Amino acid sequence: CLEGKIKNQTSFSLEQAVFGTLALGYQRSLIDKINSEKKGNDACWPASSCDVKMTAQVALAYQRAGQSTENVVSWLNARKGSAVGLNWYLEIDVADHTPSTCTVSYDSTQKEISILSDMKIGAGASTNCFTPSVSGYWLRISDSCVDKQFTISCKKDFITTLLYEKKVGGTVYVSSATHNAGADASTSEQITAKCFKNANGCDYEGSLWAALALTQLKQNVNDVVPYLQAMSDDSPSMFPSSFLYFLNPTQDQYSEISQRQTSGKFWEIVGSPYKKYYDTSLAILALDRSSSPRTEVAKAKNYLAVTQNKEGCWNASDSIVDTSFVLYSA
C-alpha cells in the first residue's frame, strides 16, 4: 500500500519524504525531496528555518537509506547548549552514616563543612557558589557556578553525586553518576546538562528527537537526559516517557508507557498533536528496545493488524506518514 502511494504521488511534503524513507529505505523520489529541502551547505532542514526536530528525523532517514549522516550529526551536536531552568544540588553522604568533616573546593576556594549524624549539612556551609538546601541534606549550587568543577574530600569514606529539579519545583532526580572515595581521598562533580537549541533557546520536542536520533547513530547523549527528565512534566503531550525509555530504560518509564495504553490496544496521548498511530508507533519504538518481549507491544501489533484499511495502510488523513511510522517502529 505504501509503495503504491509513493509511486503514484507526484509531490511530497518533507515529513512524508522523511517518514517514507524510514519505512522503505532508499527511494529516489523521497531522497530527492529531502535533499531539495536542505539549507545550502548546512546539513539542516528545512532550509527556511533549520529546525532541530526535523533535522534529527532526517538523520534517521539518512541512516535508513544508507546515506552519510556525518554532517547532520555534526550540525545537531553543534546545537547543544547549556540547559536552563534547573536547580542543581551536591550531595555528600558519609559511608558509615556517622558525623565527619569534608572540604569542598572550586577555583581557588576551599570550604570546610560538617556532615551531621543524620547526614544533613552543618551550619555555616555557605559560599558564593553554594548554600545548604531547604531540606538541609544537600548543597544548592548557585546558577552562576553551574559550570564549575567541585572537588570533595572527607575525613571518612564517603559518596558524592548531583541531583536536579526544574526551578519551579517538582520531582528531584539523582544523577546517573555516583562517585565514592576513601578517607582523605577526593571525588569530583561537574554539571554537564545540555539541551538542543533552536533560535529561541532550548527546544524540548527537538531535544527529544535529537537525543533519539543520535542514540541510534551511536552518539552519547547522557548530558541531555537531565533536561529531558526534569522538563517532562511540562510537555506531557509530546509523550516524553517513550523517548526517555528509548534512551535509558527504567521501570518508572516503562510503567508510565504501559499505563497510557488505551484498552490494551493503542496509545493516544491527551493533547497530542499527532494522534493515535504516531503515538502508538513511538511507544512500540521505545518498548521494542527492551531485552525481554513486552506484552503491550504484542497487543498493539494485534490491534494494528486489524485496523488497516482495505488497501493495507493506516489513517486516511495522511496515510504516508502514519503508515510509514508504524512500519518503521513495528
Side-chain angles (χ1 to χ4, degrees):
C1 178
L2 182 62
E3 288 174 339
K5 284 184 176 294
I6 289 173
K7 180 180 179 180
N8 295 325
Q9 191 161 310
T10 57
S11 63
F12 305 93
S13 68
L14 178 57
E15 186 180 35
Q16 288 175 330
V18 166
F19 278 87
T21 301
L22 288 176
L24 300 177
Y26 185 90
Q27 302 283 316
R28 170 58 67 87
S29 61
L30 302 183
I31 291 296
D32 285 349
K33 173 60 179 180
I34 294 172
N35 291 340
S36 72
E37 294 275 352
K38 178 174 171 287
K39 183 179 180 180
N41 294 325
D42 293 330
C44 59
W45 287 260
S48 60
S49 61
C50 279
D51 176 70
V52 168
K53 173 190 169 185
M54 182 55 71
T55 301
Q57 291 175 344
V58 169
L60 290 171
Y62 269 16
Q63 179 195 42
R64 178 75 173 87
Q67 306 295 292
S68 172
T69 59
E70 181 179 355
N71 291 338
V72 190
V73 168
S74 295
W75 188 89
L76 287 170
N77 280 325
R79 302 282 79 71
K80 267 189 185 181
S82 296
V84 295
L86 302 179
N87 289 329
W88 285 91
Y89 304 94
L90 170 64
E91 180 179 5
I92 306 171
D93 191 14
V94 179
D96 63 2
H97 282 195
T98 59
S100 184
T101 300
C102 301
T103 300
V104 181
S105 305
Y106 59 92
D107 297 341
S108 59
T109 299
Q110 286 189 335
K111 180 66 176 180
E112 187 174 275
I113 64 174
S114 57
I115 306 296
L116 307 180
S117 58
D118 59 0
M119 294 299 101
K120 285 189 175 183
I121 306 296
S126 297
T127 71
N128 64 319
C129 271
F130 55 74
T131 56
S133 66
V134 173
S135 69
Y137 289 100
W138 315 316
L139 292 172
R140 161 80 164 85
I141 300 171
S142 66
D143 291 346
S144 61
C145 296
V146 294
D147 60 343
K148 296 187 183 299
Q149 179 172 295
F150 296 90
T151 301
I152 305 97
S153 63
C154 296
K155 297 299 184 183
K156 296 181 178 180
D157 295 356
F158 68 101
I159 299 168
T160 62
T161 192
L162 293 169
L163 304 94
Y164 56 93
E165 65 178 350
K166 64 182 179 181
K167 282 190 178 297
V168 295
T171 303
V172 176
Y173 297 93
V174 181
S175 169
S176 59
T178 300
H179 305 100
N180 58 76
D184 296 320
S186 64
T187 64
S188 292
E189 301 289 350
Q190 186 166 19
I191 297 166
T192 59
K194 304 290 184 182
C195 67
F196 290 91
K197 297 188 174 185
N198 281 323
N200 294 325
C202 289
D203 178 350
Y204 188 75
E205 187 180 16
S207 294
L208 290 172
W209 274 101
L212 185 152
L214 291 173
T215 297
Q216 282 281 67
L217 295 166
K218 311 302 182 185
Q219 300 284 304
N220 189 321
V221 294
N222 289 340
D223 54 357
V224 185
V225 172
Y227 166 75
L228 296 179
Q229 282 187 321
M231 298 301 185
S232 61
D233 289 345
D234 292 345
S235 301
S237 64
M238 298 295 103
F239 203 178
S241 55
S242 62
F243 291 92
L244 288 165
Y245 190 84
F246 185 94
L247 300 173
N248 181 32
T250 66
Q251 183 61 39
D252 285 346
Q253 300 299 349
Y254 167 67
S255 297
E256 172 75 10
I257 296 171
S258 179
Q259 290 166 9
R260 286 175 173 262
Q261 190 173 24
T262 300
S263 304
K265 295 178 179 180
F266 59 88
W267 285 264
E268 187 165 15
I269 306 305
V270 174
S272 170
Y274 308 113
K275 306 305 180 183
K276 176 168 58 179
Y277 295 111
Y278 181 101
D279 294 344
T280 299
S281 298
L282 271 181
I284 293 173
L285 189 64
L287 294 178
D288 256 1
R289 281 176 65 85
S290 173
S291 57
S292 57
R294 296 296 192 185
T295 58
E296 294 86 354
V297 172
K299 290 177 180 178
K301 289 180 179 180
N302 288 337
Y303 171 78
L304 291 168
V306 298
T307 55
Q308 289 171 278
N309 61 30
K310 61 183 181 180
E311 289 83 18
C313 288
W314 290 271
N315 188 9
S317 61
D318 193 343
S319 56
I320 288 180
V321 171
D322 281 340
T323 300
S324 296
F325 202 7
V326 167
L327 292 177
Y328 176 67
S329 67

